[in-house]
Amino acid sequence: MLVLHEVTKSFGRTQALAGLSLRVEPGEVLGLLGPNGAGKTTTISLAVGLMRPTSGRIELEGLGSPHERATRARIGVAPQSLAIYGELTAAENLILFGGLYGLGRKDRRRRAAEVLEQVGLADRADDRTAGFSGGMKRRLNLAAALVHRPRLLLLDEPTAGVDPQSRSALLDTIRDLRDDSITVVYTTHYMEEAERLCDRVAIVDRGRLLTLDTVEALIRRHADDTSRVHEIIEKPRAPQPRLARAVGATGDLESVFLELTGRNYRD
């Protein structure tokens, strides 16, 4: 569905992506994991056509480049920064976004009602969103990405700052989307979400793909050799000693993530 081939992206002297190649299969939920500054949000912005790569190629198979308007119309995106208007009601927000995507008047109203039901906000359709809780705003943010029936859905930290109930509801909704054959790229810092939700995970760091596989395969692969010692060699902004630690077979995705990306602070 989504293909990135040797994609680079530079901002002045800063290289956000350094030859990233990645293929997202149709109908799968792909987790895109990495530390802060790894290139996840840049990848999402390139995939949705907000930016152009410095070099390389991005395409949606059968649809073309995301820089083409017809291709962008088949992509939904829920950014980490909430893209909703507090002075509008929930329904008005979705009707507005439906119009931006080119839906007719009747269709956008019908779709607004459908996706509000889908994310559990049908009873708040006529309430102004300024008074919504964080979880409700996140669910409406997802609804706005779905209103035009996208084939590819890009979700950037969709559960950031929400309570367990809203997080569970959001994950259930995304699982339902997969059952409807919608392809999802999902970025998160919550390893347990990726374990629960994703068909495969891609771990990236410093703009490069470190590994890509199912959660089970990654855990099995990196837990095979319990005596292996991982040495993290990097150049932090402030001088720090190199860190060496033993990697044990702890059997979770977080252990794999830390083994590959290291334990040095990134903030």
Side-chain angles (χ1 to χ4, degrees):
M1 165 60 77
L2 175 65
V3 177
L4 289 82
H5 180 69
E6 294 293 330
V7 174
T8 69
K9 180 62 180 179
S10 297
F11 301 95
R13 296 182 178 181
T14 301
Q15 189 171 48
L17 295 183
L20 179 65
S21 292
L22 183 66
R23 179 185 180 90
V24 185
E25 299 296 340
E28 79 169 334
V29 178
L30 179 81
L32 186 61
L33 312 182
N36 289 338
K40 303 185 301 299
T41 297
T42 298
T43 301
I44 294 294
S45 297
L46 289 166
V48 79
L50 289 175
M51 298 187 300
R52 291 184 178 273
T54 303
S55 64
R57 174 173 55 87
I58 305 171
E59 67 175 348
L60 273 67
E61 291 183 318
L63 296 174
S65 166
H67 302 295
E68 299 172 8
R69 179 176 295 183
T71 302
R72 289 198 301 273
R74 308 307 299 272
I75 303 172
V77 59
Q80 186 174 355
S81 299
L82 294 169
I84 56 177
Y85 296 93
E87 66 273 21
L88 301 180
T89 69
E92 288 169 344
N93 267 280
L94 298 183
I95 290 168
L96 170 64
F97 282 107
L100 294 175
Y101 277 110
L103 300 183
R105 182 174 299 178
K106 290 184 179 180
D107 196 20
R108 73 184 76 158
R109 291 183 179 276
R110 181 170 58 252
R111 282 296 294 162
E114 290 173 354
V115 293
L116 284 172
E117 182 71 33
Q118 192 171 5
V119 301
L121 289 173
D123 60 336
R124 304 298 299 269
D126 297 324
D127 293 345
R128 294 187 184 276
T129 61
F132 279 14
S133 68
M136 293 167 65
K137 290 178 180 178
R138 286 289 173 192
R139 284 147 57 197
L140 184 61
N141 207 44
L142 174 59
L146 294 172
V147 70
H148 60 298
R149 304 180 184 88
R151 287 183 56 185
L152 173 66
L153 182 62
L154 305 170
L155 304 179
D156 193 5
E157 299 285 349
T159 63
V162 305
D163 60 26
Q165 289 79 11
S166 289
R167 175 174 289 114
S168 179
L170 282 162
L171 295 181
D172 286 343
T173 300
I174 295 165
R175 272 191 289 266
D176 291 341
L177 296 173
R178 176 178 56 193
D179 293 340
D180 290 337
S181 299
I182 295 175
T183 304
V184 180
V185 176
Y186 189 92
T187 81
T188 183
H189 285 300
Y190 300 115
M191 298 295 117
E192 68 276 11
E193 288 185 5
E195 290 188 10
R196 287 176 55 187
L197 184 65
C198 298
D199 299 298
R200 296 187 301 157
V201 296
I203 299 178
V204 298
D205 197 12
R206 306 185 190 282
R208 297 183 183 277
L209 178 66
L210 302 182
T211 192
L212 172 61
D213 213 328
T214 64
V215 172
E216 294 81 2
L218 288 175
I219 292 173
R220 185 168 57 249
R221 181 188 313 152
H222 290 272
D224 279 344
D225 185 359
T226 60
S227 65
R228 187 152 45 100
V229 174
H230 175 62
E231 184 179 10
I232 301 161
I233 302 174
E234 54 188 17
K235 296 179 180 178
R237 293 179 182 177
Q240 298 183 24
R242 290 181 178 179
L243 174 66
R245 68 183 180 90
V247 178
T250 55
D252 60 29
L253 184 59
E254 183 171 335
S255 297
V256 176
F257 181 87
L258 290 172
E259 178 187 351
L260 292 172
T261 63
R263 289 178 177 265
N264 286 330
Y265 296 118
R266 301 299 182 89
D267 294 321

